[in-house]
Amino acid sequence: LHAPRQTLPRVYAQNGAIYLAAAADFLATGRFLVDPVMPFVMDAESSIDIDTRADLLVAEALYSSPSRRTGKPFDLAALNRDAAWRLEMAAQHRERARRFAAATRPRDTCPICGASALDPFAKVFDYDYVTCRACTHLFCRTLIDDESPLYAAGSPQARVYLDEALFQKRVAQIARPKVDFVNSIAAPPGLWIDIGCATGELLAAARDIGWQTRGYECDPAEAAFGRAHGFEIAEQFVNADSAATQVAGAKVISLLNILEHLRDPRGLLCAIARAAAPDAAIVCEVPRHPSLSSFNSRAFPDLACRHIYPPDHLHIFTERSFDEMLAAAGLESAAVWTFGQDYQDLICCAAAAGAVPADDLYCSITALSARMQAAIDNAGLSDTLLAVARKRSGHA
């Protein structure tokens, strides 16, 4: 047949990606394809079969997407975080966990997918953390009845945010790279609303490059600190009932290190997604599992003050559980960035647990942080996930 290929009838070929067959049929016939057969149509990009080096190069070009990033420099020493800081913070969080223990009850189902098949993962300050067999979510099974007093009263780490000398360092080292990442998806002008904005570090970085900004913060001291720096910050919670009015008109809505604190993170994200403009970018940062820091929290539970630590962090998201939460809200990731503090966290905990002095050997080991963290990030074991999400097509 000699004809332009564009005029030929459409045909399909097996790509070997998926075969679903009843075990009895396979054992009886020795074949995967037993009538009646139902095809599952996949596009050409999803059907790449790697048999040659050329095939591999094509696959790498397709899937090494600029929307996926790993690794971010971070210097704990510049922020005064050492073994002594770890011991002090862990002691304060341990006492905080003890105070709220009386107002807890067990959670029997996964807060993301509702499944009840759970496996124990770690016990930290007598709070049980479990993983969901269905969606792999890691969460605290010891549920606090009302988290509002927990944050209105201020966190032991609030002094870090209220330190004037550290504020600009945190803006430059922590907030600005994240704002630049969001700008690759959504650029100013427009309104950026930051939920749980603390002292306004993200607002500062966003305002510097042309965004209008507004923040919401429930801690009175942190909100006052931010307002003193000229930021518009409302001292209040954003919840599922109030989200419709609080996020209206925003081009970017960010929830950085917020969802992991809530009993129902899925409910709040669904409410925000419903209230958001159709073209709004919703930015979430959450602690990530599996990671070296998950292992670290398991190995040194008495030194917990970040990643897995009660009663503050109730959720540690896997990428699968995070994507399920996005899907429930009618959202999908436009860009994902994974990074962490895993190596420095582990060394800091080990030094604190063993009362190791900050001598030349300790300094030589911590000097490897950038190279070691890069290897951890590249292996997919970093402790933080930052995603820029948008509404899926067809969701108003």
Side-chain angles (χ1 to χ4, degrees):
L1 177 63
H2 296 281
R5 61 183 174 84
Q6 292 85 353
T7 66
L8 297 176
R10 176 172 292 186
V11 296
Y12 297 90
Q14 296 176 35
N15 65 5
I18 301 171
Y19 293 106
L20 294 176
D25 290 339
F26 176 73
L27 292 173
T29 65
R31 300 172 58 235
F32 286 114
L33 303 181
V34 180
D35 288 333
V37 176
M38 175 69 71
F40 180 79
V41 178
M42 299 171 66
D43 59 30
E45 289 184 3
S46 301
S47 302
I48 293 174
D49 192 16
I50 301 176
D51 295 317
T52 67
R53 178 172 173 76
D55 294 336
L56 178 61
L57 292 174
V58 171
E60 288 178 339
L62 284 170
Y63 296 108
S64 297
S65 168
S67 65
R68 181 84 192 197
R69 182 187 299 183
T70 59
K72 181 173 79 70
F74 190 82
D75 184 2
L76 285 174
L79 299 176
N80 301 330
R81 296 189 187 181
D82 54 15
W85 175 87
R86 188 82 191 203
L87 285 168
E88 180 185 357
M89 286 296 103
Q92 292 185 31
H93 279 289
R94 191 182 307 111
E95 173 58 24
R96 180 176 168 90
R98 186 196 63 76
R99 290 201 318 269
F100 282 90
T104 60
R105 53 188 169 84
R107 185 201 299 263
D108 295 323
T109 58
C110 174
I112 300 301
C113 72
S116 57
L118 311 174
D119 293 318
F121 182 80
K123 183 182 284 288
V124 180
F125 304 153
D126 290 326
Y127 288 65
D128 291 315
Y129 284 81
V130 296
T131 55
C132 173
R133 291 184 195 172
C135 72
T136 69
H137 191 58
L138 171 58
F139 63 96
C140 184
R141 194 176 183 184
T142 312
L143 185 67
I144 299 172
D145 289 330
D146 181 9
E147 67 264 17
S148 301
L150 189 65
Y151 301 107
S155 164
Q157 299 187 41
R159 66 185 178 92
V160 174
Y161 308 120
L162 297 172
D163 188 326
E164 190 69 51
L166 292 178
F167 179 77
Q168 291 302 331
K169 288 183 180 180
R170 291 179 58 85
V171 170
Q173 186 178 151
I174 298 174
R176 187 156 292 126
K178 296 173 185 178
V179 167
D180 291 341
F181 181 67
V182 176
N183 271 4
S184 68
I185 305 298
L191 174 62
W192 184 317
I193 291 178
D194 187 28
I195 297 172
C197 66
T199 55
E201 296 163 5
L202 201 72
L203 301 178
R207 188 177 67 177
D208 285 348
I209 60 171
W211 287 95
Q212 305 166 41
T213 61
R214 183 165 76 239
Y216 293 96
E217 174 55 49
C218 61
D219 185 295
E222 292 180 14
F225 183 101
R227 286 194 295 267
H229 283 73
F231 307 123
E232 181 186 346
I233 297 177
E235 189 181 314
Q236 55 189 269
F237 281 93
V238 174
N239 56 38
D241 295 327
S242 64
T245 56
Q246 289 167 317
V247 305
K251 186 175 180 180
V252 172
I253 303 163
S254 55
L255 303 96
L256 272 58
N257 305 304
I258 300 300
L259 295 173
E260 63 268 26
H261 296 270
L262 306 178
R263 286 178 294 168
D264 182 18
R266 172 175 158 162
L268 177 61
L269 190 62
C270 286
I272 288 172
R274 286 193 299 269
D279 60 345
I282 299 177
V283 185
C284 303
E285 181 180 325
V286 294
R288 181 182 177 277
H289 174 75
S291 67
L292 181 60
S293 287
S294 299
F295 171 84
N296 185 51
S297 296
R298 210 179 198 180
F300 300 104
D302 289 338
L303 292 173
C305 66
R306 64 175 303 274
H307 200 61
I308 300 176
Y309 72 101
D312 298 66
H313 281 194
L314 304 178
H315 308 274
I316 313 296
F317 292 83
T318 64
E319 295 201 28
R320 179 175 171 182
S321 69
F322 182 78
D323 286 344
E324 287 204 19
M325 182 175 64
L326 289 185
L331 302 170
E332 60 186 356
S333 293
V336 172
W337 186 8
T338 56
F339 52 88
Q341 305 173 26
D342 307 77
Y343 178 76
Q344 289 175 304
D345 204 30
L346 179 61
I347 298 303
C348 192
C349 274
V356 175
D359 55 13
D360 289 345
L361 177 58
Y362 175 84
C363 292
S364 296
I365 291 171
T366 56
L368 296 173
S369 292
R371 280 182 285 171
M372 296 298 288
Q373 187 63 48
I376 293 164
D377 294 335
N378 290 333
L381 291 171
S382 45
D383 64 30
T384 303
L385 168 69
L386 177 67
V388 183
R390 289 197 182 278
K391 291 189 177 183
R392 292 201 310 268
S393 177
H395 284 261

XYZ file of all heavy atoms in Angstrom, residues 223-266:
332
model
N 3.175 37.094 64.283
C 2.405 38.018 63.444
C 2.825 39.461 63.707
O 2.992 40.265 62.774
C 0.913 37.838 63.708
N 3.032 39.798 64.974
C 3.457 41.160 65.326
C 4.841 41.464 64.771
O 5.104 42.572 64.285
C 3.444 41.331 66.844
N 5.747 40.487 64.829
C 7.093 40.654 64.279
C 7.001 40.976 62.788
O 7.667 41.898 62.290
C 7.900 39.366 64.500
C 9.328 39.429 64.041
C 10.355 39.623 64.962
C 9.667 39.257 62.706
C 11.679 39.662 64.547
C 10.985 39.295 62.275
C 11.991 39.496 63.199
N 6.188 40.221 62.064
C 6.048 40.449 60.630
C 5.433 41.802 60.314
O 5.876 42.494 59.393
N 4.409 42.182 61.060
C 3.790 43.494 60.810
C 4.771 44.625 61.085
O 4.762 45.656 60.392
C 2.529 43.645 61.663
C 1.350 42.807 61.162
C 0.038 43.228 61.804
N 0.039 42.966 63.239
C -0.428 41.848 63.804
N -0.930 40.886 63.039
N -0.417 41.680 65.108
N 5.649 44.426 62.069
C 6.657 45.445 62.361
C 7.635 45.612 61.201
O 8.274 46.664 61.069
C 7.422 45.078 63.636
N 7.745 44.588 60.348
C 8.594 44.666 59.164
C 7.819 45.128 57.927
O 8.331 45.073 56.814
C 9.248 43.310 58.889
C 10.393 43.003 59.801
N 10.221 42.664 61.133
C 11.738 43.000 59.586
C 11.402 42.452 61.689
N 12.335 42.650 60.782
N 6.581 45.548 58.143
C 5.807 46.137 57.056
C 4.959 45.176 56.260
O 4.438 45.541 55.201
N 4.777 43.928 56.748
C 3.979 42.963 56.009
C 2.530 42.999 56.468
O 2.244 43.237 57.647
C 4.527 41.540 56.205
C 5.989 41.415 55.888
C 6.873 40.936 56.831
C 6.482 41.788 54.643
C 8.218 40.824 56.558
C 7.827 41.682 54.350
C 8.707 41.198 55.309
N 1.623 42.758 55.536
C 0.201 42.640 55.874
C -0.040 41.229 56.379
O -0.010 40.256 55.605
C -0.670 42.921 54.651
C -2.166 42.832 54.947
C -3.038 42.967 53.711
O -2.513 43.402 52.656
O -4.234 42.620 53.808
N -0.263 41.084 57.678
C -0.458 39.769 58.285
C -1.686 39.813 59.182
O -1.754 40.628 60.113
C 0.771 39.333 59.107
C 2.002 39.193 58.200
C 0.494 38.011 59.820
C 3.270 38.830 58.948
N -2.656 38.948 58.913
C -3.846 38.827 59.747
C -3.592 37.739 60.782
O -3.125 36.651 60.448
C -5.053 38.477 58.894
N -3.909 38.020 62.026
C -3.667 37.081 63.117
C -4.890 36.172 63.268
O -5.783 36.421 64.073
C -3.406 37.851 64.407
C -2.936 36.997 65.570
C -2.728 37.824 66.828
O -2.099 38.904 66.727
O -3.212 37.398 67.894
N -4.913 35.106 62.482
C -6.059 34.193 62.526
C -5.717 32.881 61.831
O -4.755 32.789 61.076
C -7.285 34.828 61.861
C -7.036 35.284 60.433
C -8.193 36.097 59.866
O -9.097 35.535 59.268
N -8.162 37.400 60.069
N -6.540 31.856 62.120
C -6.432 30.571 61.451
C -7.118 30.639 60.094
O -8.073 31.390 59.908
C -7.101 29.468 62.269
C -6.282 28.951 63.417
C -6.421 29.487 64.682
C -5.364 27.928 63.220
C -5.670 29.012 65.747
C -4.612 27.443 64.276
C -4.760 27.982 65.538
N -6.637 29.857 59.176
C -7.370 29.589 57.939
C -7.851 28.150 58.047
O -7.061 27.231 58.222
C -6.478 29.763 56.699
C -7.234 29.342 55.444
C -6.018 31.211 56.570
N -9.162 27.942 57.994
C -9.702 26.591 58.061
C -10.665 26.368 56.906
O -10.866 27.253 56.066
C -10.376 26.339 59.414
C -11.464 27.349 59.726
O -12.216 27.764 58.842
N -11.566 27.758 60.992
N -11.257 25.195 56.858
C -12.119 24.845 55.731
C -13.309 25.794 55.620
O -13.793 26.060 54.506
C -12.603 23.402 55.880
N -13.782 26.326 56.734
C -14.936 27.223 56.700
C -14.580 28.628 56.250
O -15.375 29.303 55.608
C -15.585 27.287 58.084
C -16.178 25.948 58.506
O -16.646 25.208 57.622
O -16.149 25.641 59.707
N -13.378 29.086 56.589
C -13.005 30.469 56.292
C -12.231 30.621 54.991
O -12.047 31.739 54.496
C -12.156 31.035 57.439
O -10.925 30.326 57.569
N -11.766 29.520 54.406
C -10.875 29.588 53.252
C -11.482 30.344 52.078
O -10.784 31.079 51.367
C -10.471 28.179 52.813
N -12.790 30.203 51.872
C -13.429 30.799 50.692
C -13.226 32.303 50.629
O -13.009 32.870 49.550
C -14.921 30.463 50.682
N -13.276 32.974 51.777
C -13.098 34.425 51.778
C -11.630 34.821 51.927
O -11.206 35.857 51.430
C -13.910 35.061 52.922
O -13.512 34.467 54.169
C -15.396 34.831 52.711
N -10.841 33.983 52.582
C -9.468 34.385 52.885
C -8.500 34.236 51.712
O -7.475 34.900 51.681
C -8.966 33.591 54.096
C -9.647 34.026 55.397
C -9.389 33.060 56.536
O -9.441 31.855 56.364
N -9.105 33.589 57.720
N -8.789 33.363 50.773
C -7.843 33.172 49.659
C -8.367 33.736 48.350
O -7.712 33.596 47.304
C -7.492 31.680 49.478
C -6.962 31.090 50.767
C -8.683 30.872 48.965
N -9.511 34.387 48.376
C -10.106 34.913 47.147
C -9.154 35.898 46.459
O -8.548 36.750 47.100
C -11.428 35.593 47.464
N -9.029 35.768 45.155
C -8.250 36.712 44.354
C -6.771 36.446 44.302
O -6.025 37.201 43.654
N -6.291 35.388 44.950
C -4.845 35.130 44.974
C -4.396 34.422 43.707
O -5.059 33.525 43.196
C -4.487 34.282 46.190
N -3.230 34.816 43.229
C -2.595 34.124 42.108
C -1.738 32.966 42.616
O -1.580 31.953 41.940
C -1.739 35.104 41.312
C -1.140 34.527 40.033
C -0.411 35.608 39.250
C 0.200 35.032 37.972
N 0.925 36.092 37.209
N -1.188 33.138 43.826
C -0.435 32.080 44.493
C -0.961 31.951 45.916
O -1.141 32.954 46.608
C 1.084 32.380 44.527
C 1.815 31.362 45.409
C 1.674 32.367 43.117
N -1.203 30.718 46.344
C -1.591 30.412 47.720
C -0.577 29.398 48.243
O -0.447 28.310 47.682
C -3.006 29.811 47.793
C -4.027 30.754 47.151
C -3.385 29.506 49.245
C -5.349 30.083 46.815
N 0.156 29.772 49.268
C 1.197 28.866 49.768
C 0.864 28.373 51.170
O 0.362 29.114 52.012
C 2.569 29.553 49.754
O 2.563 30.768 50.468
N 1.151 27.088 51.379
C 1.021 26.447 52.686
C 2.322 25.700 52.929
O 2.440 24.514 52.628
C -0.154 25.466 52.724
C -1.546 25.993 52.378
C -1.872 25.717 50.913
C -2.597 25.335 53.261
N 3.319 26.404 53.437
C 4.627 25.799 53.651
C 4.739 25.324 55.091
O 4.635 26.123 56.026
C 5.740 26.803 53.323
C 6.193 26.834 51.848
C 5.038 27.138 50.913
C 7.308 27.837 51.646
N 4.904 24.017 55.255
C 5.025 23.414 56.586
C 3.776 23.675 57.436
O 3.875 24.025 58.606
C 6.282 23.935 57.290
C 7.525 23.716 56.452
O 7.808 22.589 56.065
N 8.251 24.787 56.155
N 2.619 23.487 56.815
C 1.334 23.695 57.483
C 0.525 22.408 57.542
O 0.023 22.020 58.599
C 0.502 24.784 56.754
C 1.261 26.115 56.746
C -0.868 24.946 57.402
C 1.566 26.661 58.112
N 0.400 21.724 56.421
C -0.512 20.591 56.331
C -0.152 19.469 57.294
O -1.030 18.757 57.791
C -0.550 20.061 54.895
C -1.123 21.025 53.856
C -0.948 20.461 52.457
C -2.596 21.305 54.140
N 1.134 19.309 57.582
C 1.551 18.221 58.469
C 1.092 18.429 59.911
O 1.104 17.486 60.710
C 3.073 18.047 58.436
C 3.866 19.234 58.928
C 4.241 20.194 57.808
O 3.527 20.237 56.779
O 5.249 20.914 57.963
N 0.671 19.643 60.256
C 0.243 19.951 61.628
C -1.241 19.681 61.864
O -1.691 19.736 63.011
C 0.521 21.418 61.941
C 1.973 21.785 61.937
N 2.755 21.721 63.063
C 2.774 22.228 60.939
C 3.988 22.113 62.762
N 4.023 22.414 61.474
N -2.007 19.452 60.823
C -3.461 19.446 60.929
C -4.029 18.040 61.062
O -3.518 17.089 60.463
C -4.076 20.111 59.692
C -3.573 21.522 59.372
C -4.238 22.030 58.098
C -3.827 22.470 60.536
N -5.118 17.920 61.821
C -5.796 16.630 61.905
C -6.314 16.195 60.541
O -6.284 15.023 60.195
C -6.965 16.716 62.894
C -6.545 16.761 64.349
C -7.757 16.900 65.245
N -8.430 18.186 65.053
C -9.627 18.495 65.530
N -10.306 17.591 66.214
N -10.154 19.685 65.338
N -6.791 17.165 59.750
C -7.393 16.845 58.450
C -6.762 17.713 57.360
O -7.380 18.664 56.873
C -8.902 17.068 58.512
C -9.605 16.702 57.210
O -9.005 15.970 56.391
O -10.753 17.147 57.009
N -5.536 17.414 56.938
C -4.902 18.232 55.903
C -5.646 18.162 54.577
O -5.718 19.144 53.839
C -3.504 17.627 55.792
C -3.641 16.224 56.281
C -4.681 16.285 57.365
N -6.197 17.008 54.286
C -6.939 16.842 53.035
C -8.149 17.773 52.998
O -8.439 18.392 51.970
C -7.359 15.372 52.892
C -8.292 15.092 51.751
C -8.561 13.601 51.605
N -9.810 13.370 50.894
C -10.146 12.230 50.327
N -9.327 11.200 50.384
N -11.306 12.093 49.717
